[in-house]
Amino acid sequence: IPALDGSVPAPAANRLSDLAAGESGRVARIADNDPDMLRYFDSVGIALDRTVTVREQRPFAGTVCISIDNGDPIDLGDIAAQSIWLV
């Protein structure tokens, strides 16, 4: 439903870093302020509309283990996990 100003409202999104083990969502937004991180995301298959599942949160190590579309596990650091929003 368009907003009164004619724009399309953005869906509520959660940072990947805030999800618990077993939770998943579709990538809705990726921070674009770091070209090197964007290249890394592209190389491991993190892209808009892909489904990401949190396999394990490791706050003591500053990493999160994820899978993309139920593929092989990938470890991301906190900064990378905070740069991805899921719906």
Side-chain angles (χ1 to χ4, degrees):
I1 298 173
L4 294 177
D5 65 2
S7 64
V8 176
N14 296 304
R15 287 181 189 250
L16 172 59
S17 58
D18 294 336
L19 270 61
E23 293 185 308
S24 63
R26 186 177 45 80
V27 177
R29 187 169 39 144
I30 299 172
D32 61 0
N33 54 336
D34 185 339
D36 290 331
M37 189 164 24
L38 289 174
R39 281 190 283 279
Y40 173 72
F41 289 159
D42 186 54
S43 75
V44 297
I46 296 172
L48 295 177
D49 295 323
R50 301 291 298 268
T51 299
V52 175
T53 301
V54 175
R55 291 181 168 212
E56 184 179 359
Q57 283 281 7
R58 300 182 191 121
F60 55 89
T63 63
V64 59
C65 179
I66 66 165
S67 62
I68 302 165
D69 296 332
N70 292 316
D72 292 332
I74 299 169
D75 289 329
L76 294 178
D78 282 341
I79 293 171
Q82 292 171 7
S83 300
I84 300 168
W85 286 264
L86 305 174
V87 292

